[in-house]
């Protein structure tokens, strides 16, 4: 027979699942505290299973559950020698939520249940305190009306404030019993007006309605959003805890408070919390009165304070984790109302994990599993100084595309960013960024776009650079021509200060102060060293295109470069014109002349990366994007050509500067440029003339890049640096394309290395698997390719038939309706794309057992995806430099989990 209701301390849910699964975190904590003799007001928990039954049963609780609740209530009444709502022997209870995972403030609570017009008189007699009794009753009506019946809190607050003003009371506690009777009468009028019925007087009906309201709160908007934000499953449900009331509002010898056994912001080992005298729990969090630091309780109620410190210290030892606790002191007697593992910031999580290992409380493996990899973001990027941030006006919110804090002056174009950055920090503000904004993005302290998603160009590049970015802030209107930003009446112009919080996705007008992160020392350095112990041979590399990014990658512990995107090198000043000349060339000879000018620049770039990665591999991808990305937009050219006949001298000079054409040649050269741009135009460039297809059509491009790579190898190796180059051919659909490009790279490498007398220099030629056909034919590809790197950004697009730039337009609908559990461009789709990855890996190794396999898409820094990569047997993941520590921790957690699962399986096998 199923059991749905559990009395505190009267047996646990063990054997039927974990306590937290069935009782929720709060219920499990209350049961355990009761069992170990901690002073907990008695009560019972209605299990999380009932919540799911309630929704499956058309929002009704089955009769057998009602009967079990009645039995648990009768047991509680017998235990207390009281009856619910009985004026002569009054039992009052609280009704509170409690899910498996802590969701602070997201669901609902009702206090003082059991009061009515008759029983309040019994509370007056029992307490001898008329004011206290009527204060409890008015609180109950307000909470019940709001939580159970959905009456806005403001409706009750207006009544309370009106009374306070009338009698000139500064705070609630100044109201007399007579005042509170008047408030209660007015509250009842509000209740009847809003619901059409009188306030319920039957305590058992109150309990039934309150229980159902707590179940209902599982699906309130804030709880739903919180679950989505924290990746908590919707089907877990909440338990309902019914607990005997104790009162912190009985007078100056009573109090209520909340606290932590360690500082949840810093992790420091200090008793941390707040309390209020003569108050109930909601007063502490509502901000109506200013709570006092818990340290001052020592002077006010020393015995209760010392008992509280002792109990919470023992609870931390018992649970071996930081405890978040709630307490009430009634007539100087302490009661514990809750204990649960405390929420904490990233810095606090790391410090607490390290401290607890050194205190002998937990093992290193447990410490590693205690820190959410995403929390490390808070330690790796500059953060806004809280006081400074709060002094600014928040003007918009978008997607937290790249974490960290950024403060600078607004600029609206990449060119202006480069110029302005010479004298001040800048924030690049665009409707959306494009690849040729890269030079401006490189110098910007932060990037703000009004369009795009978490995997838009701005987001991907910003994360790669470690640059804070807020993307898709749709409320912002960007006028790049007038150089203005407007949102809800606020207008900012170029040169105005703006502040971004890329971690939260928020935008502020003005200049905030920031605090820098240091990953190389202290608690984080020690913690990261432990992660490396446990992840073993599983590598973590970085996506880096320039030496600055490579240095950052090494600082964060990267063991090589898993992706160098050579196309970003072509957008710099003094380079783009040669790239455009190559594209506009009408024959191979002209193309080679332009490429000859690019070669020394590419060689210098590669040499810089090799130097920074001394002794670590560097994967260099040959040219990938379609050529039209390197030339002006067709529409812009058409407009400029149309305006040219009537252009002023100044306007012609501006056009000449924009296109790199002499003023006198504009009339003839602009139409030629337009003609070539139209030739390059593609209906679906993502699946068009790009990647290896460019190298096959224009082999001189691959040849130039290969020559630059191996000349850089020679240059750097001769200075005593150990160089490990890996050349990666992108976008192949089958082995034939790879063989074509491999032959060029191998020929050029042989020529360069032989000339330098370095024929023993090791290198590899491999491919990027980003087309489903390449994964399906991986056994044939691996006969030629020495390594695979899964480009899961494009593999997700091609496998799912989904444009990552367009998905953002309907992503909210898909994720809200659970069609997608998560954004497939943020979290690897294991069921679909993951099959291709696993299949490609296995088939590749069937013909080349020592095949090196990695991933270089954005998924390489996402913890769930890293775990999958570990499970399918990859050698490494590669991600943006600032996500390297996150990947290191995720890999270590995957290794620890795999070891634990293996041990359990072995134990079951031998049992």
């Amino acid at each position: 027979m199923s059991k749905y209701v559990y009395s505190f301390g009267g047996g646990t849910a063990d054997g039927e699942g974990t306590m937290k699964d069935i009782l929720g975190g709060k219920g499990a904590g209350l049961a355990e505290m009761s069992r170990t003799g901690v002073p907990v007001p008695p009560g019972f928990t209605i299990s999380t299973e009932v919540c799911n039954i309630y929704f499956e049963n058309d929002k009704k609780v089955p009769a057998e559950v009602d009967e079990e609740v009645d039995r648990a209530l009768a047991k509680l009444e017998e235990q207390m020698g009281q009856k619910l709502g009985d004026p002569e022997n009054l039992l009052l209870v609280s009704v509170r939520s409690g899910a498996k995972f802590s969701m602070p403030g997201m669901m609902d609570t009702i206090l003082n249940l059991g009061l009515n017009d008759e029983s309040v008189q019994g509370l007056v007699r029992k307490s001898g305190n008329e004011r206290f009794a009527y204060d409890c009753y008015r609180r109950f009506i307000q909470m019940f009306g709001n939580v159970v019946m959905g009456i806005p809190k403001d409706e009750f607050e207006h009544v309370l404030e009106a009374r306070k003003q009338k009698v000139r009371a500064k705070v609630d506690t100044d109201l007399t019993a007579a005042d509170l009777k008047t408030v209660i009468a007015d509250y009842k009028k509000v209740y009847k007006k809003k619901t059409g019925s009188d306030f319920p007087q039957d305590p058992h009906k109150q309990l039934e309605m309150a229980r159902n309201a707590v179940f209902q709160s599982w699906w309130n908007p804030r709880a739903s959003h919180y679950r989505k934000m924290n990746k908590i499953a919707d089907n877990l449900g909440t338990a309902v805890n019914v607990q005997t009331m104790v009162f912190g509002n009985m007078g100056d010898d009573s109090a209520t408070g909340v606290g932590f056994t360690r500082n949840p912001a810093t992790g420091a080992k200090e008793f941390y919390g707040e309390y209020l005298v003569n108050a109930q729990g909601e007063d502490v969090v509502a901000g109506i009165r200013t709570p006092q630091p818990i340290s001052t309780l020592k002077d006010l109620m020393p015995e209760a304070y010392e008992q509280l410190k002792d109990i919470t210290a023992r609870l931390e030892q018992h649970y071996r984790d930081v405890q978040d606790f709630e307490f009430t002191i009634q007539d100087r007697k302490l009661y514990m109302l809750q204990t649960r593992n405390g929420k904490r910031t990233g810095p606090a999580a790391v410090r607490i994990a390290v401290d607890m290992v050194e205190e002998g409380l937990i093992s290193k493996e447990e410490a590693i599993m205690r820190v959410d990899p995403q929390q490390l973001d808070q330690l790796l990027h500059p953060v806004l100084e809280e006081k400074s941030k709060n002094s600014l006006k928040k003007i918009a919110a978008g997607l937290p595309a790249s974490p960290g804090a950024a403060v600078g002056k607004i600029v609206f174009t990449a060119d202006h960013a480069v110029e302005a950055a010479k004298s001040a920090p800048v924030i690049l503000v665009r409707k959306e960024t494009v690849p040729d904004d890269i030079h401006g993005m490189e110098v910007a302290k932060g990037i703000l776009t009004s369009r795009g998603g978490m995997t838009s160009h701005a987001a991907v590049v910003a994360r790669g650079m470690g640059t804070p970015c807020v993307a898709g802030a749709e409320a912002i209107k960007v006028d790049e021509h007038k150089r203005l930003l407007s949102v809800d009446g606020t207008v900012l112009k170029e040169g105005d200060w703006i502040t971004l919080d890329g971690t939260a996705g928020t935008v502020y007008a003005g200049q905030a102060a920031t605090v820098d992160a240091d990953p190389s020392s202290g608690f984080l350095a020690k913690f990261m060293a432990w992660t490396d112990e446990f992840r073993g041979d599983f590598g973590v590399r970085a996506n880096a295109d320039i030496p600055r990014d490579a240095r950052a990658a090494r600082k964060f512990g990267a063991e090589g470069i898993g992706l160098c995107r050579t196309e970003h090198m072509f957008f710099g000043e003094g380079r783009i014109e040669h790239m455009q000349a190559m594209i506009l060339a009408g024959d191979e000879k002209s193309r080679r002349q332009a490429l000859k000018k690019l070669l020394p620049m590419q060689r210098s770039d590669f040499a810089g990366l090799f130097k920074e990665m001394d002794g670590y591999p560097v994967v260099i991808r040959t040219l990938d994007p379609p050529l039209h990305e390197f030339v002006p937009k067709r529409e812009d050219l058409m407009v400029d050509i149309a305006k040219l006949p009537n252009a002023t001298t100044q306007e012609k000079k501006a056009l000449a500067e924009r296109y790199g054409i002499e003023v006198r040649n504009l009339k003839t050269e602009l139409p030629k440029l337009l003609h070539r741009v139209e030739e390059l135009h593609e209906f679906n460039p993502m699946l068009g003339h790009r990647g290896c297809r460019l190298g096959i059509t224009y082999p001189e491009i691959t040849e130039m890049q290969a020559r630059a790579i191996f000349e850089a190898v020679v240059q750097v190796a001769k200075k005593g640096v150990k160089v490990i180059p890996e050349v990666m051919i992108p976008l192949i659909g089958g082995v034939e394309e790879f063989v074509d490009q491999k032959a060029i790279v191998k020929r050029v490498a042989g020529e360069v290395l032989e000339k330098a007398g370095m024929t023993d220099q090791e290198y590899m030629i491999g491919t990027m698997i980003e087309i489903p056909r390449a994964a399906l034919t991986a056994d044939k590809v691996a006969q030629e390719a020495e390594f695979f790197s899964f480009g899961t950004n494009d593999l997700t697009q091609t496998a799912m038939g989904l444009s990552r730039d367009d998905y953002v337009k309907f992503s909210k609908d898909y994720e809200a309706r659970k069609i997608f559990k998560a954004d497939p461009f943020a979290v690897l789709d294991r069921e679909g794309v993951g099959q291709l990855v696993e299949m490609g890996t296995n088939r590749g190794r069937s013909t080349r057992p020592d095949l090196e396999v990695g991933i270089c898409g954005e998924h390489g820094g996402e913890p769930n995806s890293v775990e999958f990569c570990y499970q399918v047997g990859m050698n490494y993941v590669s991600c943006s430099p600032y996500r390297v520590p996150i990947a290191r921790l995720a890999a270590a957690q995957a290794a620890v989990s795999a070891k634990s699962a293996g041990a359990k399986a072995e134990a079951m096998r031998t049992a």
Side-chain angles (χ1 to χ4, degrees), residues 395-457:
I395 60 171
L399 298 169
S402 184
V407 182
K409 292 185 175 183
I410 295 172
V411 292
F412 290 97
T413 70
D415 291 338
H416 290 156
V418 172
E419 192 59 35
K422 295 174 182 175
S423 57
V426 298
I427 303 293
L428 180 61
V429 179
R430 304 280 278 154
K431 289 178 182 174
E432 56 190 348
T433 62
V434 293
D436 56 4
D437 286 332
I438 190 71
H439 57 302
M441 298 174 77
E442 183 181 12
V443 299
K445 296 295 183 184
I447 298 161
L448 169 63
T449 69
S450 60
R451 298 176 187 162
M454 292 290 284
T455 54
S456 63
H457 176 266

Side-chain angles (χ1 to χ4, degrees), residues 377-625:
D377 258 345
Q378 299 171 33
L379 290 93
L380 305 177
H381 294 270
V383 293
L384 295 177
E385 196 275 316
E386 197 69 19
K387 186 177 179 182
S388 177
K389 179 184 76 173
N390 292 338
S391 69
L392 301 181
K393 179 183 179 182
K394 177 182 171 182
I395 60 171
L399 298 169
S402 184
V407 182
K409 292 185 175 183
I410 295 172
V411 292
F412 290 97
T413 70
D415 291 338
H416 290 156
V418 172
E419 192 59 35
K422 295 174 182 175
S423 57
V426 298
I427 303 293
L428 180 61
V429 179
R430 304 280 278 154
K431 289 178 182 174
E432 56 190 348
T433 62
V434 293
D436 56 4
D437 286 332
I438 190 71
H439 57 302
M441 298 174 77
E442 183 181 12
V443 299
K445 296 295 183 184
I447 298 161
L448 169 63
T449 69
S450 60
R451 298 176 187 162
M454 292 290 284
T455 54
S456 63
H457 176 266
V460 171
V461 175
R463 283 195 290 271
M465 293 178 164
T467 301
C469 174
V470 177
E474 294 179 353
I476 292 176
K477 306 302 178 189
V478 178
D479 190 327
E480 292 164 356
H481 294 293
K482 292 182 180 179
R483 300 183 185 180
L484 293 175
L485 172 163
S486 60
V487 54
D488 295 333
T490 297
V491 179
L492 300 177
K493 62 183 184 301
E494 188 156 275
D496 287 345
W497 285 94
I498 194 169
T499 295
L500 306 182
D501 185 342
T503 305
T506 47
V507 185
Y508 302 86
Q511 184 178 8
T514 62
V515 182
D516 285 332
D518 178 14
S520 61
S521 62
F523 296 103
L524 180 59
K526 184 174 287 188
F527 180 80
M528 294 311 301
W530 293 347
T531 69
D532 294 340
E533 287 179 27
F534 290 101
R535 66 184 169 89
D537 295 332
F538 188 82
V540 177
R541 302 183 188 179
N543 302 339
D545 307 329
I546 56 175
R548 184 191 70 181
D549 291 348
R551 277 193 296 277
R554 286 293 301 125
K555 182 174 73 172
F556 289 121
E559 299 157 325
I561 292 176
L563 175 63
C564 167
R565 293 159 289 207
T566 56
E567 59 270 13
H568 286 170
M569 300 170 174
F570 293 132
F571 285 107
E573 192 175 342
R575 301 181 180 209
I576 188 65
E577 53 265 40
H578 300 307
M579 187 65 181
Q580 290 176 344
M582 186 274 294
I583 294 167
L584 298 172
D587 53 56
E588 182 181 336
K589 182 179 178 182
S590 301
R591 273 194 299 276
R592 286 188 178 276
Q593 286 176 345
L595 288 167
K596 191 174 181 181
K597 294 176 181 178
L598 286 169
L599 189 147
M601 300 173 188
Q602 286 254 282
R603 181 175 60 223
S604 174
D605 292 330
F606 298 144
L609 293 177
F610 291 144
K611 183 179 177 183
E612 294 294 338
M613 285 291 153
D614 185 5
Y616 290 102
V618 177
V619 178
I620 298 173
R621 181 180 71 186
T622 54
L623 190 63
D624 183 51

Side-chain angles (χ1 to χ4, degrees), residues 875-890:
N875 298 96
Y876 68 87
V877 295
S878 187
C879 56
S880 66
Y882 286 81
R883 294 190 73 80
V884 164
I886 293 170
R888 289 163 64 193
L889 174 55

Side-chain angles (χ1 to χ4, degrees), residues 699-728:
E700 55 271 21
I701 296 177
T702 304
E703 185 178 314
M704 181 279 287
Q705 291 200 293
R707 193 168 299 281
I709 291 169
F710 287 99
E711 286 182 359
V713 169
V714 170
Q715 179 184 318
V716 176
K718 287 192 172 181
K719 294 178 181 177
V721 174
K722 185 177 181 181
V723 185
I724 308 175
E726 300 183 12
V727 183
M728 182 162 67

Side-chain angles (χ1 to χ4, degrees), residues 599-664:
L599 189 147
M601 300 173 188
Q602 286 254 282
R603 181 175 60 223
S604 174
D605 292 330
F606 298 144
L609 293 177
F610 291 144
K611 183 179 177 183
E612 294 294 338
M613 285 291 153
D614 185 5
Y616 290 102
V618 177
V619 178
I620 298 173
R621 181 180 71 186
T622 54
L623 190 63
D624 183 51
L627 293 180
H628 80 267
E629 290 194 7
F630 299 95
V631 295
K633 287 186 177 179
R634 175 172 170 266
E635 293 76 13
D636 292 344
L637 267 170
M638 293 173 72
V639 170
D640 289 337
I641 290 171
K643 288 180 176 179
L644 185 60
N646 301 312
T648 64
T649 302
Q650 195 63 34
E651 287 170 339
K652 287 178 180 178
K653 285 182 179 179
L655 286 174
E657 184 178 346
R658 183 183 306 165
Y659 294 112
I661 299 171
E662 292 184 25
V663 172
R664 60 196 172 118

Side-chain angles (χ1 to χ4, degrees), residues 146-209:
N146 173 242
V147 172
V148 178
M149 304 306 295
I151 303 170
K153 289 180 182 178
D154 289 349
E155 297 284 344
F156 297 108
E157 288 298 329
H158 289 324
V159 170
L160 188 65
E161 286 302 315
R163 189 64 191 174
K164 283 163 65 177
Q165 287 178 15
K166 185 170 184 177
V167 300
R168 298 181 180 178
K170 290 183 179 179
V171 292
D172 298 358
T173 49
D174 292 336
L175 294 174
T176 64
D179 293 326
L180 292 169
K181 288 178 185 178
T182 302
V183 169
I184 288 167
D186 290 340
Y187 273 11
K188 288 179 180 177
K189 291 176 185 175
V190 169
Y191 187 97
K192 184 159 188 176
K193 180 181 177 183
K194 294 295 179 181
T195 67
S197 59
D198 292 325
F199 185 77
Q201 297 292 303
D202 179 355
H204 290 84
K205 185 65 176 175
Q206 292 173 356
L207 179 58
E208 178 189 331
M209 293 171 72

Side-chain angles (χ1 to χ4, degrees), residues 121-432:
Q121 301 299 329
L123 186 59
V124 171
R125 292 191 294 273
K126 180 180 178 182
S127 66
N129 186 333
E130 187 180 33
R131 190 206 172 279
F132 154 72
Y134 284 102
D135 183 48
C136 289
Y137 195 18
R138 72 94 187 165
R139 289 172 184 269
F140 174 49
I141 296 171
Q142 179 171 347
M143 295 180 92
F144 191 94
N146 173 242
V147 172
V148 178
M149 304 306 295
I151 303 170
K153 289 180 182 178
D154 289 349
E155 297 284 344
F156 297 108
E157 288 298 329
H158 289 324
V159 170
L160 188 65
E161 286 302 315
R163 189 64 191 174
K164 283 163 65 177
Q165 287 178 15
K166 185 170 184 177
V167 300
R168 298 181 180 178
K170 290 183 179 179
V171 292
D172 298 358
T173 49
D174 292 336
L175 294 174
T176 64
D179 293 326
L180 292 169
K181 288 178 185 178
T182 302
V183 169
I184 288 167
D186 290 340
Y187 273 11
K188 288 179 180 177
K189 291 176 185 175
V190 169
Y191 187 97
K192 184 159 188 176
K193 180 181 177 183
K194 294 295 179 181
T195 67
S197 59
D198 292 325
F199 185 77
Q201 297 292 303
D202 179 355
H204 290 84
K205 185 65 176 175
Q206 292 173 356
L207 179 58
E208 178 189 331
M209 293 171 72
R211 174 199 65 194
N212 293 350
V214 171
F215 287 148
Q216 290 270 86
S217 72
W218 176 251
W219 281 107
N220 71 39
R222 66 180 185 273
S224 297
H225 181 77
Y226 186 90
R227 288 198 300 277
K228 181 179 178 182
M229 189 170 65
N230 290 279
K231 298 181 176 63
I232 297 172
D234 285 333
N235 63 356
L236 294 177
T238 181
V240 176
N241 298 288
V242 179
Q243 186 172 26
T244 303
M245 280 297 303
V246 287
F247 302 96
N249 61 328
M250 285 191 76
D252 290 342
D253 284 340
S254 300
T256 189
V258 297
F260 293 81
T261 52
R262 304 191 189 212
N263 188 315
T266 67
K269 191 175 182 180
E270 60 188 24
F271 198 42
Y272 181 97
E274 297 175 324
Y275 73 100
L276 279 172
V277 171
N278 194 17
Q280 285 197 316
E282 75 270 20
D283 297 337
V284 179
V285 295
I288 298 168
R289 292 162 56 192
T290 303
Q292 299 299 308
I294 203 165
S295 57
T296 63
L297 185 63
K298 184 176 183 179
D299 298 324
L300 197 64
M301 303 179 195
E303 289 184 13
Y305 175 80
E306 292 300 333
Q307 187 185 12
L308 180 65
K309 275 196 76 174
D310 176 64
I311 287 172
T312 55
R314 285 192 283 119
L315 287 171
E316 181 179 276
Q317 289 287 318
H318 178 79
Y319 287 105
R320 300 184 309 122
D321 202 353
V322 177
Q323 294 303 290
D324 165 6
F325 56 85
E326 294 180 17
F327 66 94
T328 286
I329 300 170
Q330 178 179 312
D331 290 333
R332 293 186 173 264
K333 180 174 173 56
L334 174 70
Y335 295 92
M336 299 300 296
L337 305 182
Q338 172 180 288
T339 192
R340 61 187 176 190
N341 294 341
K343 296 281 186 182
R344 63 209 79 171
T345 66
V350 170
R351 178 172 179 176
I352 290 165
V354 171
D355 281 348
M356 286 190 168
V357 170
E358 295 182 341
E359 291 165 20
L361 201 56
I362 61 175
S363 66
K364 288 181 182 179
E365 291 98 324
E366 289 173 303
I368 286 167
M369 301 305 287
R370 289 274 175 93
V371 179
D372 182 341
Q374 301 287 16
Q375 286 185 299
L376 294 184
D377 258 345
Q378 299 171 33
L379 290 93
L380 305 177
H381 294 270
V383 293
L384 295 177
E385 196 275 316
E386 197 69 19
K387 186 177 179 182
S388 177
K389 179 184 76 173
N390 292 338
S391 69
L392 301 181
K393 179 183 179 182
K394 177 182 171 182
I395 60 171
L399 298 169
S402 184
V407 182
K409 292 185 175 183
I410 295 172
V411 292
F412 290 97
T413 70
D415 291 338
H416 290 156
V418 172
E419 192 59 35
K422 295 174 182 175
S423 57
V426 298
I427 303 293
L428 180 61
V429 179
R430 304 280 278 154
K431 289 178 182 174
E432 56 190 348

